[in-house]
Amino acid sequence: MATEAPFQSVFSRLPSWKATSTTASQLVSRVNGSVDDRGICQCSVFLPEDAFPAQQVEALEKLAGSLSERFNKELSKVTEYMKIVDVYGHKLFNLTQRVEEMHKSQTSYTELDFEVLKLEIQEMESLVVQLKASMGESNVVVQQLYVEIKNMSLMVAHLENLDKNNVLAIRREILALKQRLKECEEPGSGQLVPPGFCNHSGLVNISKPHLHSWNWRGSGYRYGVWGKGYSPGSPTSEAYWVAPMYDERNMQTIDLYSSYENLLFYAPSKRLSLSGQGSGATVYKNFLYFNYYNTNQMYKLELTSNTVVLKSTITGAAYNNRFSYAGKAWQDIDLVVDESGLWAIYSTEANTGNIVISKINEDTLQMQKTWFTRQYKPSVTSAFIICGVLYVTRSLNTHQEEIFYTFDTKTGKEGRISIVLEKPFGTVRGVDYHPTDRKLYLYNDGFLVSYNLVFQLASP
């Protein structure tokens, strides 16, 4: 027994291994030893190979690497999904505005109007369902988008049901008929006049706005202009056209639609590229007239072949944002059409920024006659010409414009009127008048809007 004490003291200096009670007997056992010259007991202790779990550590390292790789892959998916969610969030916001406008408006909407909305909502709902399946129910943003889209779908269905029988349209037709009967009793009062008819005393009223659709490129294209091409003598060839713009300066594309249904379903018959500046373009007899980029030149583009057939400088016209409209940059030169043909509205340094009007020969693009007004162009928001009379607008607030100034090219006289035009959204980006329809087409912060015009019949 005298030799056991040194043995225990040496053994106690071995590393201490923690083990459960079930494995303790496997880790400790008695072994034979020997006493050296100094009286110290020596023995050999063999640790089992599995005392340190090397294989488990290696397996854990592999698992950690695999998890890290999967995490990075899922993280990149989430990043991509969040980008998509952001894009569709903007689309959802735009749709929400349109649905709210339909809910508040007294306008009657056709079955096509509702079908367009439902198709867009279904497209977003399909994407969000995919995101939910990929990311699980825990993602709050995706879940919120899903709920909002569902609510909007229910609202559109409710609105469609309310207007199923066009009750509001019938009521308005009855009111309109009563008003027309009343007007018939008062000769010379405001009337809708036949196409191309200029034997009237001018514009006296304007209808409520009719909201057609959102531009095909979406929320990033708040600037632009749209209308219906004017072809006197050939109204069946008149196509709708839309030129959405990413910024106020660059007009790069124009879409042509052979029918109103195609316009609503974003199904253009042709898409053309160009290098225009500002939103002062117009379509006349199958030609697009526009201000060429970085110049005071007007170009004539044949729509069938997408070929520039003519160009001409508007002598003295200021350009490159020198005298543009208020709240609408880069529209120094505004090309418009009335019953008699093509016009240019612009400003010159000589006329100190006041509006100048020139009648343009469509075949040569030369100025036939020019009139100088005293209305400062940068203080007004837009202008158009009907039967040789210039009408000018200004902004009253975020929801109203006022047609307040006129200039009659037949008499050379200026005039003051007050016709309030309601606009669904803040800024009018482009205006186009169509003599056949007697309508004013507005590009209103990315939305396509139109108005019917009412004129004062001339006394017999």
Side-chain angles (χ1 to χ4, degrees):
M1 297 296 293
T3 60
E4 290 182 2
F7 173 81
Q8 294 293 337
S9 63
V10 172
F11 196 80
S12 65
R13 280 177 273 168
L14 290 170
S16 175
W17 299 94
K18 292 184 179 179
T20 62
S21 59
T22 58
T23 60
S25 62
Q26 298 173 358
L27 295 176
V28 180
S29 63
R30 290 182 176 275
V31 297
N32 295 323
S34 61
V35 180
D36 63 10
D37 298 335
R38 292 173 293 176
I40 298 174
C41 180
Q42 293 184 346
C43 63
S44 299
V45 178
F46 296 92
L47 296 175
E49 291 182 358
D50 57 350
F52 181 79
Q55 292 180 346
Q56 289 90 330
V57 170
E58 185 178 349
L60 282 173
E61 286 177 345
K62 289 181 180 179
L63 181 60
S66 175
L67 286 173
S68 176
E69 185 178 343
R70 287 172 59 191
F71 173 79
N72 289 331
K73 191 179 293 184
E74 292 300 319
L75 184 62
S76 65
K77 279 185 184 179
V78 170
T79 304
E80 188 64 29
Y81 285 148
M82 292 312 294
K83 289 180 182 177
I84 297 173
V85 168
D86 186 57
V87 170
Y88 277 82
H90 286 299
K91 285 192 175 184
L92 179 60
F93 175 74
N94 295 330
L95 272 175
T96 303
Q97 286 186 313
R98 287 165 62 187
V99 172
E100 287 177 351
E101 184 64 31
M102 290 176 75
H103 189 266
K104 295 175 184 177
S105 174
Q106 296 297 312
T107 305
S108 179
Y109 293 88
T110 66
E111 185 177 351
L112 277 174
D113 293 324
F114 290 108
E115 287 300 321
V116 170
L117 276 175
K118 286 193 287 187
L119 282 172
E120 293 184 44
I121 291 171
Q122 287 170 8
E123 179 188 353
M124 289 196 297
E125 186 174 348
S126 174
L127 176 78
V128 173
V129 168
Q130 292 176 30
L131 291 176
K132 281 165 62 70
S134 301
M135 303 176 68
E137 296 287 339
S138 59
N139 191 288
V140 177
V141 176
V142 176
Q143 187 65 24
Q144 184 178 353
L145 268 177
Y146 183 76
V147 172
E148 289 184 26
I149 290 170
K150 277 293 187 185
N151 290 340
M152 183 180 294
S153 182
L154 291 172
M155 182 180 289
V156 170
H158 177 64
L159 287 171
E160 185 179 22
N161 185 59
L162 285 177
D163 203 38
K164 203 69 169 181
N165 298 315
N166 287 324
V167 176
L168 293 176
I170 294 169
R171 287 178 180 173
R172 278 195 300 278
E173 285 296 326
I174 293 171
L175 290 174
L177 287 171
K178 288 181 178 179
Q179 182 64 29
R180 289 172 64 183
L181 285 171
K182 182 180 178 182
E183 289 168 351
C184 286
E185 297 173 358
E186 303 172 3
S189 60
Q191 296 275 346
L192 291 171
V193 299
F197 182 80
C198 284
N199 187 25
H200 56 76
S201 301
L203 183 65
V204 293
N205 206 351
I206 192 166
S207 72
K208 297 286 185 182
H210 179 69
L211 186 62
H212 297 271
S213 68
W214 181 237
N215 83 87
W216 65 273
R217 285 203 159 182
S219 60
Y221 288 75
R222 296 169 51 231
Y223 315 100
V225 61
W226 85 292
K228 189 177 179 183
Y230 178 45
S231 295
S234 182
T236 55
S237 65
E238 295 177 345
Y240 292 92
W241 57 277
V242 183
M245 298 163 59
Y246 182 76
D247 58 38
E248 293 178 278
R249 186 176 189 182
N250 296 281
M251 180 180 286
Q252 298 176 330
T253 60
I254 176 173
D255 275 13
L256 305 178
Y257 299 89
S258 58
S259 67
Y260 182 66
E261 288 76 15
N262 288 341
L263 173 74
L264 292 181
F265 283 108
Y266 306 111
S269 57
K270 187 173 289 189
R271 179 169 295 160
L272 307 179
S273 299
L274 62 148
S275 296
Q277 180 161 287
S279 55
T282 193
V283 173
Y284 180 50
K285 293 183 179 179
N286 201 43
F287 292 94
L288 173 71
Y289 297 87
F290 64 97
N291 176 207
Y292 190 71
Y293 186 82
N294 203 38
T295 71
N296 60 354
Q297 292 183 328
M298 56 180 152
Y299 272 42
K300 181 179 182 179
L301 177 74
E302 205 275 321
L303 295 178
T304 303
S305 62
N306 192 22
T307 304
V308 174
V309 296
L310 205 58
K311 59 183 178 180
S312 178
T313 299
I314 303 177
T315 306
Y319 64 102
N320 278 353
N321 211 28
R322 179 70 179 99
F323 295 118
S324 187
Y325 292 123
K328 188 162 49 180
W330 302 102
Q331 198 171 331
D332 301 83
I333 296 172
D334 193 6
L335 300 173
V336 301
V337 168
D338 80 339
E339 289 75 3
S340 65
L342 185 65
W343 300 76
I345 302 170
Y346 57 99
S347 294
T348 63
E349 296 289 351
N351 203 38
T352 62
N354 293 331
I355 292 176
V356 178
I357 314 163
S358 289
K359 185 70 178 70
I360 306 297
N361 184 314
E362 63 188 84
D363 297 320
T364 63
L365 294 189
Q366 298 302 306
M367 293 182 288
Q368 296 174 320
K369 190 173 181 180
T370 298
W371 295 262
F372 299 90
T373 77
R374 293 181 295 176
Q375 178 60 54
Y376 189 55
K377 188 169 179 282
S379 69
V380 305
T381 53
S382 64
F384 54 94
I385 295 176
I386 301 174
C387 292
V389 178
L390 173 75
Y391 292 89
V392 177
T393 70
R394 61 185 173 191
S395 179
L396 298 180
N397 51 56
T398 55
H399 290 292
Q400 289 182 319
E401 297 266 319
E402 181 188 32
I403 304 172
F404 75 101
Y405 174 88
T406 64
F407 184 92
D408 192 338
T409 59
K410 293 185 287 292
T411 64
K413 292 183 178 179
E414 297 175 301
R416 296 283 172 174
I417 59 175
S418 180
I419 301 173
V420 176
L421 176 153
E422 295 181 11
K423 51 185 178 181
F425 305 97
T427 308
V428 175
R429 305 293 179 178
V431 176
D432 193 68
Y433 167 67
H434 192 275
T436 302
D437 290 351
R438 294 291 193 182
K439 287 184 178 180
L440 205 59
Y441 293 89
L442 267 66
Y443 193 96
N444 186 195
D445 278 340
F447 286 88
L448 311 184
V449 186
S450 70
Y451 302 81
N452 291 320
L453 303 177
V454 181
F455 299 87
Q456 180 82 20
L457 293 180
S459 300

